[in-house]
Amino acid sequence: MKTAIFLVSLFVTLTICAQSVTSLEIEKIVTKAIGEKDPSLFVGVVKNGMVSYSGVRGLANLQHQVKANSASSSNIASVAKQFTALCILKLSLENKLSLEDDIREYLPKLYPNITDSIKIRHLLNHSSGIRDYADLMSLQQNPWWRQEGLDNHDVITLIEKQNDLNFTPGSEYLYSNTNYTLLTKVVAVVSGVSFHDYSKRLFVELGLKNTRFLKNYMAVIPNQVLPYSDWGDGIWRQYPMLTNLHGDGFLFTTLEDQLIFEKAIQNAEQTNNQLLLQSQKEIPNSEIATYGFGLELTDRLNRKAVHHSGSTGSYHAQTIRFPEEKLSVFVMSSNSRIWSGSIADKIASKIQSNTQEVKKDDYLSQIPKIEAIDSNKLPGFYKTSKGKIVRIIEKQGMLYYQVDNNNPFKLIKETTGYYAFESSPDIKIVFTQTGDTAKLLLYRPGTEPRIHTKLPEAQLQGHQLDAFIGQYQNEELNISFEITKEDDAIFINRKKYKRPQKVEILTPYDFLVSDYKLVIKRDIFNRVNEILLTTNRLKNVRFTKKTNLIFQPKINLENTSIQVTTIPSKKQGSTILLTKNYKNGNEIWTRQFGGKSYDKASSLIKTEDEGYLIIGATSSFGKGNYDVYVIKVDSEGREQWNTVSGYAYNDYGYTAEQTDSGFLIKGTTQKCDSNSNIADANCETYTWFIELDEKGKEIKNKILKKF
């Protein structure tokens, strides 16, 4: 018996010593992170259903030097999403809604033209394609944090004006705060009470007496921690929070409450709490397995984990749960100089290092052997499989990796063609070359290699750049920008009082400016008619061209130019004028084409034999009111042949391209329901393609879609 008592006593002593060592190590991490007079930091650890560490350091209020404590209330930002998801899950378990329901059953004004289902589960795991309201407001150059009193109703009103999604619901994952703002409205509609009232009832059930979503930024929150930032000058300033948003974040809570919640999560199996048990799993029937009920479901520190981070102004927080080890780490702070996520990782690593060895990832064995690559060929633009633009920059003999226009990461050369990130040596980059295709392979522990394909250098100049000039409008956001040209470069101006920014031309269809990627769209006549803008949590925001939507009337040569236009004829009607000019505009020669009525030119292309093809319309020749008119000339503008194509009404030629067999003419043709009275006839216009051989003889024609 004495031996047994001695062994139990020894076990308890060793356990207490081990816990004390871990607590001392956590204290060192916390003490190193901030000083006693700095803005606050809160840390809690729950192990095997019990609190094993709870610590607070710093001040809740710098003005009055008020110390923070475990009852101080701080904003955990997006870590709050799990609680909004709990409200939805609770209603689902009570059969008051289904996660398969279309969001428009509860918000019928949303996306009337989208035929795909936008399910509640799509919003829960950010696979809905709904655009992030914060990024939409930034695009409007009216950031959310500047809008005093901005609330969920304002966000929903903005989203009701949107016609498009980032992508088809369920096809991709892209984090969007809007999803959780909309879910608060679903909770209110289904429950019959406000989201604040419903969530408050849930918090009471969970024993979280001092946890609440923000209702009014001017309201007094007992024991509130104030947020502080340092903008690089060493002076603390209180970060203003002026909005009334909630659901996607803006949850004020205490360390005490969060430790109660973490214990409930770990003890959910014993208490058979199905709400908490289901909330830690994947969403049923979901196409996305990496995000669940307001929680990320990806490995962390090489272990299976459930986690989420959040940041709003100077407030930030991190929750990490390791279910197989029954370990939870919670960190929150109001101090912008530190980051809760890195502190939580350090603490978790320290605890786990005392229990078991961290598994090493064998991803390095995947990295292929390559032949030597000329380092001069490495810089340039690369496109990822998800459409992001990566730039490899060379500065003073060093390479840098830059995503869009974010801060670049320095690369350290390990051997020819092999590099590692200076800030994260575990991340490796390998440059490969197969034929004319150069690629960048990025290897990160625990993930599949990411392939970036190098973009060929774009060669656009002269009249090709003219095609982009004009005003572009997005009706959903009521914003526009203008593209202008100067010398052999184009610039974008998002506001008239702002300095225009130069556009980086990656390919004829991919542009980059600041932190925006622009994808160029052309109509059936090859004119630039739309630009799709992608940035951060927005994809393919549509801007329609409003001005200069013209065809190509000019070709720039080395020291001269060829230009086609329509001028009034001497007697009546109009004539096609072709001119060759010096750079200063002085004419070298002119040629005129047409008959006795109206003849019009739309565009001009250069042909392989150094001649030109004029595309337009004529009422001087042909069968109808107007017919497609094509004129082939030599390098001096002398006519070689012409052809006229058309029916009884109005047919126009707009543009052309040279083919292996001749030319493809692109235009329109008109069909009317009356041959005798065209003025009162009902007519429809269709796109019309005509194939000609090298001598202008028609091979075939095809009427396409309605124009």
Side-chain angles (χ1 to χ4, degrees), residues 444-664:
R444 185 191 298 269
T447 64
E448 292 295 317
R450 301 178 186 179
I451 301 174
H452 307 354
T453 303
K454 191 174 185 181
L455 299 173
E457 188 175 345
Q459 299 286 340
L460 293 180
Q461 54 187 341
H463 68 274
Q464 294 173 306
L465 296 178
D466 292 340
F468 305 108
I469 297 171
Q471 194 84 19
Y472 297 81
Q473 177 78 23
N474 179 276
E475 302 291 348
E476 299 163 301
L477 299 171
N478 192 28
I479 57 176
S480 65
F481 61 79
E482 183 180 16
I483 289 183
T484 58
K485 176 188 165 188
E486 185 177 331
D487 297 327
D488 280 333
I490 57 174
F491 297 82
I492 188 169
N493 192 350
R494 287 177 287 163
K495 268 194 176 180
K496 289 184 177 178
Y497 62 82
K498 288 220 172 192
R499 185 178 179 182
Q501 295 172 289
K502 186 176 180 180
V503 176
E504 301 260 17
I505 300 174
L506 310 181
T507 74
Y509 297 93
D510 292 279
F511 291 0
L512 192 66
V513 55
S514 184
D515 54 348
Y516 301 127
K517 191 188 83 169
L518 308 177
V519 174
I520 308 303
K521 292 294 181 180
R522 297 174 183 267
D523 64 14
I524 202 164
F525 304 112
N526 205 36
R527 296 179 301 175
V528 175
N529 67 334
E530 284 184 339
I531 289 181
L532 305 182
L533 182 150
T534 295
T535 180
N536 300 324
R537 295 166 183 169
L538 306 179
K539 279 190 173 185
N540 301 322
V541 180
R542 191 180 308 276
F543 285 81
T544 304
K545 192 173 186 181
K546 295 296 182 183
T547 58
N548 293 342
L549 198 59
I550 59 177
F551 297 97
Q552 180 182 307
K554 183 179 180 181
I555 294 175
N556 289 319
L557 305 175
E558 187 175 354
N559 296 308
T560 59
S561 66
I562 300 287
Q563 188 165 346
V564 70
T565 188
T566 303
I567 61 170
S569 65
K570 292 181 179 179
K571 295 182 180 180
Q572 66 171 4
S574 59
T575 297
I576 295 171
L577 177 69
L578 182 70
T579 63
K580 185 172 184 178
N581 308 301
Y582 291 112
K583 275 197 171 182
N584 62 9
N586 291 338
E587 290 181 357
I588 300 173
W589 51 252
T590 68
R591 308 279 187 261
Q592 291 189 27
F593 307 92
K596 295 180 179 180
S597 188
Y598 290 90
D599 304 289
K600 302 177 180 180
S602 293
S603 65
L604 179 73
I605 68 168
K606 189 174 182 180
T607 56
E608 292 177 357
D609 62 359
E610 300 301 317
Y612 303 94
L613 197 72
I614 301 169
I615 306 95
T618 179
S619 64
S620 298
F621 315 107
K623 302 176 182 178
N625 190 38
Y626 273 101
D627 290 283
V628 175
Y629 191 23
V630 180
I631 307 162
K632 174 68 173 68
V633 301
D634 63 16
S635 60
E636 295 300 311
R638 294 181 290 258
E639 183 173 323
Q640 296 177 305
W641 53 259
N642 74 71
T643 185
V644 177
S645 303
Y647 299 108
Y649 308 110
N650 292 309
D651 305 307
Y652 299 95
Y654 291 129
T655 188
E657 58 186 68
Q658 192 158 8
T659 65
D660 292 338
S661 58
F663 303 96
L664 178 64

Side-chain angles (χ1 to χ4, degrees), residues 415-468:
T415 184
T416 302
Y418 294 82
Y419 291 79
F421 281 72
E422 183 182 53
S423 56
S424 301
D426 283 348
I427 303 177
K428 311 290 185 183
I429 283 182
V430 180
F431 293 94
T432 67
Q433 179 94 29
T434 304
D436 295 331
T437 304
K439 292 185 178 181
L440 177 162
L441 308 179
L442 188 146
Y443 292 85
R444 185 191 298 269
T447 64
E448 292 295 317
R450 301 178 186 179
I451 301 174
H452 307 354
T453 303
K454 191 174 185 181
L455 299 173
E457 188 175 345
Q459 299 286 340
L460 293 180
Q461 54 187 341
H463 68 274
Q464 294 173 306
L465 296 178
D466 292 340
F468 305 108

Side-chain angles (χ1 to χ4, degrees), residues 175-191:
Y175 192 91
S176 173
N177 287 292
T178 308
N179 290 316
Y180 277 75
T181 305
L182 296 176
L183 288 173
T184 64
K185 184 65 175 177
V186 174
V187 171
V189 171
V190 174
S191 68

Side-chain angles (χ1 to χ4, degrees), residues 368-380:
K369 303 296 182 185
I370 62 169
E371 295 181 6
I373 295 176
D374 185 353
S375 60
N376 294 328
K377 296 181 180 179
L378 305 184

Side-chain angles (χ1 to χ4, degrees), residues 23-135:
S23 295
L24 288 173
E25 290 170 334
I26 294 173
E27 289 288 351
K28 287 180 182 178
I29 294 171
V30 172
T31 303
K32 186 177 180 180
I34 69 166
E36 291 183 358
K37 300 296 184 180
D38 289 336
S40 58
L41 172 63
F42 304 81
V43 173
V45 178
V46 174
K47 177 72 173 167
N48 296 322
M50 300 291 291
V51 176
S52 63
Y53 180 86
S54 176
V56 181
R57 187 172 173 84
L59 301 177
N61 184 302
L62 298 188
Q63 292 92 320
H64 301 290
Q65 297 289 288
V66 178
K67 285 188 175 183
N69 58 57
S70 59
S72 298
S73 185
S74 191
N75 183 343
I76 60 172
S78 287
V79 177
K81 284 182 170 65
Q82 62 183 318
F83 294 102
T84 301
L86 276 178
C87 294
I88 291 289
L89 181 57
K90 189 173 190 297
L91 291 169
S92 173
L93 293 175
E94 294 169 351
N95 295 317
K96 294 180 179 178
L97 61 77
S98 169
L99 301 184
E100 299 296 320
D101 290 343
D102 194 300
I103 184 72
R104 289 164 295 189
E105 292 183 29
Y106 309 100
L107 292 140
K109 293 182 181 180
L110 292 180
Y111 305 105
N113 299 322
I114 300 293
T115 57
D116 298 292
S117 292
I118 310 173
K119 300 178 180 180
I120 289 177
R121 63 177 171 83
H122 291 147
L123 276 72
L124 284 166
N125 66 8
H126 302 292
S127 63
S128 68
I130 295 173
R131 291 170 176 153
D132 188 276
Y133 71 81
D135 281 357

